[in-house]
Amino acid sequence: MTITETSCQAFAAYLRSEERSAGTIEKYLRDVRAFARWLDRRALTRENAAAWRGVLLSQRYAPATVNSMLSALNRFLRFLGREDCRIRFLRLQRRTFREQRREITREDYRRLLDAARESGRRRLALLMETICATGIRVSEVRYITLEAARQGRAEISLKGKIRTILLPSKLCRKLLKYAAERKIASGELFLTGSGKGISRRQIWREMKDLCALAGVEASKVFPHNLRHLFAASFYRACRDIVKLADILGHSSVNTTRLYLLTTGAEHARQMERLGLVT
């Protein structure tokens, strides 16, 4: 048995039926196709599947990235009915802090907003504020509608779950003003010039374009990091991880804990304060 584009498209249809987000489907297909290219014309066997894990490690992928790619492939193998080829994940020690080079700060965030406004990119500035002030996923931006801004809340339906996101009153006023200026009578607020919903890829690209102008490292700038900044800020304000998990749409607080990891620098400062070196 070999992997074909037909089987990949069937897998994509299956994921859509499970209400997986467009970003998740794109990511899964990218990883499956990477495996298919490496497999080439060889048969899909347990040995070949397991060998791919070693190939990824030899290509210097981070262990967490390897496991992410293996997860996508294992889901595909289950879809094919080839559970016998499933690959074991790498065993990782639980992380205790985040890499500082990927940690966006409030100051970084303000500089990005200032750069967007000063360069005339008002839509991008408001979009970043919306993600950071609510903690929504980039795939959930389409639920920020004129109706949601008027009501002060957005009903988000994703992955078979429905949750309510409260919109800060100041944000609602900004959104309503933006809609009036753009003559948006109903529906989604963040649209392209042709009137279509803005894609996650375009949001990612526009944020990256701000980096040099804002003087912020590109490694820190991507939409999901704004969600991390929201999570850290919310937790510092209320210290309620269960409530935060509900807001973020996590089914497990273990996932939420990953959003609350401090940077290596903060971790080091905490160790220095122990005073155990005499």
Side-chain angles (χ1 to χ4, degrees):
M1 179 182 183
T2 57
I3 297 174
T4 65
E5 183 58 26
T6 300
S7 61
C8 287
Q9 291 303 322
F11 181 50
Y14 165 73
L15 293 173
R16 284 192 290 270
S17 73
E18 285 201 327
E19 299 186 4
R20 296 289 177 176
S21 70
T24 297
I25 295 172
E26 180 184 350
K27 194 268 183 199
Y28 277 22
L29 290 179
R30 183 170 63 247
D31 293 341
V32 168
R33 285 170 176 148
F35 173 71
R37 286 193 298 272
W38 172 80
L39 190 63
D40 198 16
R41 297 178 183 277
R42 287 172 291 172
L44 175 57
T45 65
R46 183 177 184 178
E47 292 72 24
N48 283 338
W52 193 51
R53 182 177 64 179
V55 170
L56 294 177
L57 286 172
S58 71
Q59 293 175 347
R60 297 181 180 273
Y61 281 104
T65 301
V66 172
N67 278 351
S68 174
M69 297 174 77
L70 296 182
S71 178
L73 181 57
N74 282 342
R75 174 59 72 94
F76 178 66
L77 293 172
R78 181 186 300 164
F79 168 74
L80 293 179
R82 292 300 305 272
E83 298 267 359
D84 59 302
C85 292
R86 285 170 59 82
I87 311 168
R88 289 185 179 181
F89 295 117
L90 298 174
R91 296 183 63 183
L92 304 179
Q93 179 180 346
R94 182 175 172 179
R95 288 188 299 162
T96 56
F97 54 84
R98 296 189 75 199
E99 295 179 64
Q100 190 169 8
R101 67 183 183 85
R102 291 177 62 83
E103 181 78 5
I104 193 168
T105 65
R106 280 178 173 265
E107 178 58 27
D108 293 329
Y109 170 60
R110 292 193 186 97
R111 286 159 67 181
L112 288 168
L113 290 179
D114 288 344
R117 290 165 181 154
E118 291 168 6
S119 61
R121 305 179 208 187
R122 289 189 56 231
R123 181 189 65 184
L124 178 58
L126 184 56
L127 177 55
M128 289 191 297
E129 277 190 302
T130 300
I131 295 174
C132 201
T134 60
I136 60 173
R137 301 177 177 92
V138 69
S139 60
E140 297 169 339
V141 166
R142 68 181 186 273
Y143 293 101
I144 304 301
T145 62
L146 179 62
E147 294 76 17
R150 286 172 175 164
Q151 296 169 8
R153 61 181 60 204
E155 299 292 329
I156 292 179
S157 175
L158 199 65
K159 298 182 180 179
K161 296 183 292 186
I162 298 176
R163 78 182 195 281
T164 300
I165 294 296
L166 299 180
L167 308 180
S169 57
K170 187 175 181 180
L171 175 64
C172 288
R173 291 194 293 273
K174 285 190 170 189
L175 292 171
L176 291 172
K177 182 180 179 181
Y178 174 83
E181 292 172 350
R182 297 296 178 99
K183 295 181 171 56
I184 299 174
S186 65
E188 290 183 57
L189 295 182
F190 296 108
L191 305 170
T192 63
S194 61
K196 296 181 180 179
I198 189 169
S199 70
R200 62 187 295 144
R201 183 171 295 179
Q202 184 172 349
I203 296 170
W204 187 91
R205 185 174 64 249
E206 289 186 12
M207 286 183 64
K208 289 292 185 182
D209 287 344
L210 281 181
C211 295
L213 190 61
V216 179
E217 294 178 46
S219 60
K220 298 180 175 183
V221 181
F222 48 93
H224 199 70
N225 239 12
L226 297 178
R227 182 166 152 92
H228 275 272
L229 181 56
F230 166 84
S233 301
F234 184 93
Y235 185 73
R236 277 195 293 268
C238 72
R239 297 289 173 179
D240 190 333
I241 194 170
V242 175
K243 185 180 292 185
L244 176 58
D246 288 339
I247 292 173
L248 294 177
H250 293 158
S251 56
S252 169
V253 294
N254 288 329
T255 302
T256 310
R257 286 193 179 96
L258 296 177
Y259 284 67
L260 303 178
L261 296 177
T262 59
T263 65
E266 186 173 345
H267 191 83
R269 285 195 296 271
Q270 291 169 346
M271 294 181 69
E272 292 287 349
R273 286 196 290 267
L274 296 177
L276 296 177
V277 179
T278 61

